Amino acid sequence: MRKKPELLAPAGNWESFVAAVENGADAVYLGAKILGARAYAGNFTLEEIREAIDHAHLRGVKVFVTVNTLVKDQEIGKAAKMLCSLSEYGVDAVIVQDIGLLSLAKEIVPELPIHASTQMTIHNSEGVRFLEDLGVKRVVLAREMSLDEIRSVKQATSIEIETFVHGALCISYSGQCLLSSMIGGRSGNRGHCAQPCRKMYELEMDGEVVDTDGPYLLSPKDLNTTEMLPQLIEAGVDSFKIEGRMKRPEYVAGVVSTYRRLIDRYMDDPDSYFVSPEESLVLEQLFNREFTDVYLEGTSRTGMMSREQPYNRGVVAGTVVGYNSDERRIIVELSTELALGDGIGAEGLENAGENITRMVLDGEEVDSGTKGDVVEIPFFEKVRSGSFIYRTMDRSLMDSLKKTFTSPKPIRNVPVRLRSDIAAGSVLQLEMVDADDNMVSVDSDYVVEVAQKKPTTEEQVRQQLSKLGNSVFEPVDMDVTVTGDVFIPIRALNDIRNLAVSQLEASRIEKGRRNPKDKCKAPDVACEEVNLDKPLLVVSVDDSRRLEAAIDGGADVIYAGGEVFRGRAPLDMKEAFERCRKEGRKIYVNTPKIVSDDDMGRVKETLRVAKGLGFDGAVVSNYGTFRLAVEAGMTVVADSPMNVFNLHSYAAMKQLGAGSVVLSPEMSLSQVEDVAQCGSVECIVHGRLEVMESRYCMVGDILGEGTGCSRPCEDGEFELFDEKEYCFPLLMDNDCRMHVLNSKELCMIENIGKLIKAGVAAVRVEARTMDASKVKKVTQRYRGALDGKKPGKCKDITDGYTSGHYMRGVL
């Protein structure tokens, strides 16, 4: 039997919230003023969240609150109080990213359901099972997953699965993007993303500019799954999520109402499912950078990028055929209707847009024009002939959508049944039952009298009791029995009806609330005893040349393997192990950051071989691989992509089986010190940090030939240049994923003493992006600094460098 999926809508402010509820959302997700991944949305105070929960529960709608950012240690206390407040208010779930916050919630508010945010980068069945074991109720899967992969996860687990169905896409796996923070200190993992992916870039191959048919190389189209809803429903997806907490309420109203109709249409008659041209036009008009469902189809190379413009283009409204310089008006031949109040934009002009205040047709001012008309419209900038004019805002559509959430009479109603048995000499009674079987029975102070003249009829009683006014209730059944000739004043009927409405409203609201906590604070984390003479020097390598260089440079520990980048031969594990053992060095097998279900068997085999050879442990970067490595009985290093950002996150990972933890590169020195004083932590101190990993392969898309991948990434070296001429190297791996490296190399050699003083257990050189000669040079320099020699300067071992966030932290 097909299960009807939940329709989950975004709300960045109160109007958007009401728009979502009134237009058919089953649930709404919203953020508090703090700790939400959309810090620049309006968001809600705690009191407003309480009001929203009551408003939604009265109407049979769920509310989920996003607490889906990485949390600083000084914010933990505030987060704990917020979790307790949300639980008391009756929120239906919290959406979290931080594993420490997840662990905290399970401890202090175990009754509060938890949803794992897409920021946790859950993209395989093992990762879902890991969270299922922790008691997480629902997982929001990575947007990069195909329909087949989603189906596989659903079949392999029993947890609820949520997927995005409409709205903006990120080019990077969510939770794995450091580009915004590295460029300007605004962390996407903290809700402050500056969206550098929507800026202009230039692609170079071996120093030569590549023709890219548009400069917005990291800007994806918007997701639209209307044509694929049947397959998603059949795959068993539990919740369909619409992106858009930064969007206006009319957008929320239009998108939610459209998806509401489509879901209901399919459930009513699957064989006759369709998407009408009018429905498609509404979605296109509300916001689009063009639409795609590319990941769901299973491809990651073509058809998903909006390289020509990264902003809303609306719908094509006409073509420029001239320009009236005297009046500063464009002359447009219309291909669709335009009217006064509509918004328009011009092809190729990102910041050029106007609201139509005047329109001239055949020398006469008109209110609107239609297809085929040639009209003149005031426009600040001259636009070349042949350019498209887009209708970016349809005023009539927006006005009609606005009415859905501004009308005093609710559109969304709760059906109720009313029952009253009336007889002279008895107290007037009324029973009201809603569709969820909430029931109230109220008695009036009025005692029914015998009619002296004209008796009150059953029809009069029904008519008066059915007048539920602007309440959310709608009578669908009424059982009224009047015995004998009675008289009931209209006022008495109104009073008992209003009392029943009031009590049923209160019952629906109170039903979801939970008991307040006597104490609500984050428990202290028990610190481990750390006794280290000096930090270990770890070097991450992926081939034999870099391995030899790291050993010769003095590395204590080798992380061997990881993603296999195009043009490189994978490291021979046995040879690497024997070489390290011969030199008395520890060696851990490194595993890829992203591992699909199809690739999990390969990783499992890698772990088996490594354990059999005697490797000291495994380095893992996602929760699925973490689960496999722990189950295999290996010593596990939880790597930086797992976003351990505070003491509670560290403690959670240790409790879950991590032998050691690599801290997030977004942490400041003071944050590192707070965690390092309580346990053995590792920090990356040198190398080009990866600022994005994407399932989309830019090089294959732009330079590839045919439907299959022709591997153009093996033909040269590729780099991205931003508008300020900063260079971001690109690497493609054998799974056709694109890795974007930071424009500057992280270098902490001048500050290594501060990290030693902070008490870190290990420092790491990320050497997989260096040539072998540099690996040896850099390793030697850090070896000497750890051994007490003068560290020297960064400029001695690297060009263009940065201290990352150690000295500045992130917003």
Side-chain angles (χ1 to χ4, degrees), residues 716-730:
E717 300 293 327
F718 294 90
E719 298 168 320
L720 278 180
F721 285 84
D722 68 9
E723 295 168 283
K724 295 182 179 180
E725 293 299 312
Y726 285 110
C727 171
F728 298 86
L730 301 181

Side-chain angles (χ1 to χ4, degrees), residues 402-417:
K402 189 171 185 177
K403 290 177 183 177
T404 67
F405 57 88
T406 57
S407 171
K409 185 172 179 61
I411 298 172
R412 186 168 191 147
N413 297 116
V414 176
V416 291
R417 305 188 306 275

Side-chain angles (χ1 to χ4, degrees), residues 651-678:
M653 293 307 300
K654 292 287 285 186
Q655 185 176 8
L656 290 166
S660 62
V661 173
V662 185
L663 296 182
S664 163
E666 294 191 298
M667 293 174 70
S668 67
L669 260 174
S670 62
Q671 290 176 279
V672 169
E673 184 173 7
D674 289 341
V675 180
Q677 297 303 309
C678 273

Side-chain angles (χ1 to χ4, degrees), residues 18 22 55 58-59 402-413 468-473 505:
V18 176
E22 291 298 327
H55 182 95
L58 177 58
R59 291 156 176 81
K402 189 171 185 177
K403 290 177 183 177
T404 67
F405 57 88
T406 57
S407 171
K409 185 172 179 61
I411 298 172
R412 186 168 191 147
N413 297 116
L468 300 183
N470 289 339
S471 79
V472 300
F473 300 124
E505 286 178 342

Side-chain angles (χ1 to χ4, degrees), residues 532-567:
L532 287 171
D533 179 35
K534 58 186 174 185
L536 295 171
L537 177 57
V538 180
V539 181
S540 179
V541 300
D542 62 354
D543 67 8
S544 58
R545 295 177 297 109
R546 293 180 179 87
L547 173 67
E548 289 295 335
I551 291 174
D552 291 346
D556 297 305
V557 181
I558 298 294
Y559 292 166
E563 292 84 0
V564 179
F565 296 117
R566 289 287 193 190

Side-chain angles (χ1 to χ4, degrees), residues 47-66:
E47 186 56 40
E48 287 169 339
I49 289 176
R50 179 172 186 157
E51 185 179 351
I53 293 170
D54 290 350
H55 182 95
H57 284 180
L58 177 58
R59 291 156 176 81
V61 177
K62 295 179 180 179
V63 175
F64 307 143
V65 174
T66 60

